[in-house]
Amino acid sequence: MDPCFTTNFLPHLPDGEALQPPDAFTYPFFYTPHPLVVAAAEHLQQRLQSDATLCEELLGGDAVAGKMLGVLVVKDSQGALGYLSAYSGKLNGPRPEWMVPAVADIHAAHTEYKLGEAQLNDMTEAIEALKRDPEFVRWKALLKDEEIRVEEVLSDGRGQLKQEKLDRKQRRETAKASLDAEAFEVFNAELTSESITTQLQFKKFAFHQKEELEKLREEVEGWQMKLDQLKKDRRAKSNALQAWIFSQYQFLNARGERKDIKDLFPDFETQQPPSGVGECSAPKLLQYAYLQGYEPLCMGEFWWGKEPKNEVRKQGLFYPSCNSRCRPILGHMLEGVAVEPNPLLSWSDGAELPIIYDDKDLVVVNKPEVMLSVPGKDIEDSALTRIKALYPEATGSVLLHRLDMSTSGILVFAKNPQAHKFVQKQFIKRTLKKQYIAVLDGIVEGDEGTIELPLRPDYYDLPRQMVCHEHGKPATTHWKVLERNNGKTRLALFPVTGRTHQLRVHCAHPDGLHTPIFGDELYGVPANRLHLHAASISFIHPTTKEEISFEVPPNF
């Protein structure tokens, strides 16, 4: 019996009813969890809560921030239904026997990895020993002192030359007034000779000082070259060991084909994949299923444990697989499996783009929630491409600002460079007035306020954004409650800045309103749509120089 294959997880349903597997496997980057996945996740969560050690690791001290966990519902060769479970990353303690193992257990490979790790440790110690070598330290200190001394001496010498030059000028003017022409000529020649002599003496002195300083530099550079070579050797060894580690991750697909990380990341030679690649729960689950001959049916990943400080993750909520680490891997691993189509590819098919204003300078539209503002990597249809097709005479940069694909509302385009420059300056200077309407999935405390949380991209899971007080860009949002009803809160949001996903993160993050926008598939729970709408905007018209305003109420 496979301890990782968990059965008897389905809820009790009325007689004759049963949860049926889906017709196609979960599209992992945008999905609503299938009822079988929900049942498996609930069963796993009960199991986690009964495991005191594992619960402590996921829910324990201040340093612990929880983990992404995954469930994969499968059929075995006899047609029995069960699920597999996995965690992303690693645990401090041993892996529970009922969770699937890692794709590659490099720590169990004591040969190359352990040897390489020991060599790296020795090389690191050699580098640190050289840095601490008393002779190296002495030479560096001597060089530093000499550089300071020589600079001071030469600076004093240059000051003295300047003062002597001024003195000679004064003596020359005095002599010119008191001597006859012949005597002055002789005196002036003496001054000139004196000037040449002092300058030559200073140059000779400066040359000697710099020559002695250069000898010290050469001595220090000799030591530094040894240190640089040790670092270079260690870097080469580390890269070789990392390449070996990546080669141990052999990912299967449904056809039995294997590819390693180097094969799956096209920029591998010039840019190493993100850290932790291959350690997410989804690849672990699929790998184990293929190895055991199980048929994958549906999958989901959810957060379990304390909320992290920077990312928006809430316990028990499902999230899509991460893009930067998992998209290349899962693209291979799901070959040979009938997968649900990416719903985003066809969302905007047939959607209308209502035009609410049109003149020689501007066009203003009410973008639907199913349409991109600009073309994406896989999606050509967008508000921008449609505007360019409707107004082929428009010149210059047409786009003035963007809305998320899931956000509906007012979007402004310029038809000529002059209009673009004039309105764009108002965006940059933040003199426009913008208001969004949002429905939050919960009751917000207080009636109004301001959120200031700096944001930066989550480079391991784009397009998600995260709060980062060290490297994030300032982001400010004013908010005001409009209505509370049926466990939800309708807000007016007034963004001062325009960061990507600013309103979504500011609403969902624990240091913001700690209540995600209803239907937010990235930071909350998916619904029929994201309940966020750009409802109004006011700015100065580029030609009339008068304020114009547009307002479109949301359809929710």
Side-chain angles (χ1 to χ4, degrees), residues 131-148:
K131 287 180 181 178
R132 298 190 302 266
D133 189 293
E135 278 295 289
F136 188 20
V137 173
R138 185 179 70 83
W139 282 109
K140 284 198 299 182
L142 183 59
L143 174 61
K144 184 177 181 180
D145 291 344
E146 278 299 287
E147 285 176 334
I148 295 173

Side-chain angles (χ1 to χ4, degrees), residues 66-237:
K67 282 189 179 295
M68 288 295 294
L69 300 174
V71 291
L72 174 64
V73 180
V74 297
K75 277 184 181 179
D76 68 8
S77 59
Q78 306 302 314
L81 197 67
Y83 77 85
L84 308 174
S85 60
Y87 51 84
S88 292
K90 303 181 186 301
L91 295 177
N92 293 326
R95 170 182 63 87
E97 65 171 1
W98 42 269
M99 281 189 161
V100 305
V103 174
D105 188 0
I106 58 170
H107 293 284
H110 291 287
T111 52
E112 179 128 6
Y113 179 78
K114 290 297 181 183
L115 177 62
E117 189 177 46
Q119 290 173 340
L120 283 176
N121 290 337
D122 290 343
M123 296 170 84
T124 300
E125 179 54 37
I127 289 170
E128 294 304 315
L130 183 56
K131 287 180 181 178
R132 298 190 302 266
D133 189 293
E135 278 295 289
F136 188 20
V137 173
R138 185 179 70 83
W139 282 109
K140 284 198 299 182
L142 183 59
L143 174 61
K144 184 177 181 180
D145 291 344
E146 278 299 287
E147 285 176 334
I148 295 173
R149 186 192 68 79
V150 169
E151 178 57 34
E152 290 176 348
V153 168
L154 295 184
S155 178
D156 291 343
R158 285 187 289 269
Q160 185 175 346
L161 286 177
K162 187 175 181 180
Q163 184 59 50
E164 289 176 354
K165 182 178 180 181
L166 292 174
D167 292 344
R168 283 192 294 271
K169 181 179 179 182
Q170 183 64 41
R171 288 159 60 194
R172 185 177 287 107
E173 291 174 353
T174 301
K176 190 173 184 179
S178 60
L179 298 177
D180 58 34
E182 184 177 351
F184 176 75
E185 184 176 347
V186 172
F187 182 76
N188 190 46
E190 291 175 350
L191 289 180
T192 301
S193 176
E194 179 183 314
S195 174
I196 294 171
T197 299
T198 55
Q199 289 187 51
L200 287 175
Q201 288 175 342
F202 179 75
K203 287 181 178 180
K204 184 177 181 180
F205 172 77
F207 177 80
H208 176 72
Q209 294 294 316
K210 291 179 180 178
E211 188 177 43
E212 292 300 311
L213 191 60
E214 192 60 32
K215 291 178 182 178
L216 283 176
R217 286 201 180 102
E218 290 175 359
E219 182 66 34
V220 173
E221 285 174 2
W223 286 87
Q224 188 63 45
M225 286 175 63
K226 294 178 184 177
L227 182 61
D228 292 343
Q229 186 61 48
L230 283 175
K231 290 180 177 179
K232 183 179 179 181
D233 293 343
R234 188 195 184 285
R235 186 162 54 250
K237 181 64 181 178

Side-chain angles (χ1 to χ4, degrees), residues 314 436-448 451 477-494 502-510 512-520 523-525 527 529-533 556:
K314 293 184 181 294
Y436 289 70
I437 300 297
V439 175
L440 272 57
D441 196 8
I443 298 299
V444 173
E445 299 292 333
D447 292 328
E448 58 184 307
I451 304 165
T477 303
H478 303 304
W479 59 275
K480 182 177 182 180
V481 171
L482 301 177
E483 181 184 10
R484 296 180 179 91
N485 190 28
N486 294 327
K488 294 181 172 53
T489 307
R490 181 178 288 264
L491 293 181
L493 298 168
F494 307 92
Q502 175 177 319
L503 301 181
R504 299 168 71 171
V505 176
H506 277 186
C507 287
H509 195 272
L513 295 178
H514 204 191
T515 311
I517 297 174
F518 183 55
D520 193 334
Y523 307 102
V525 179
R529 64 156 295 177
L530 175 71
H531 285 58
L532 178 63
H533 178 79
F556 52 80

Side-chain angles (χ1 to χ4, degrees), residues 353-358 363-366 409-411 537 550-552:
L353 183 66
I355 295 174
I356 61 177
Y357 181 81
D358 182 9
V363 58
V364 183
V365 304
N366 179 22
I410 297 171
L411 199 56
I537 189 169
F550 304 98
E551 183 173 354
V552 177

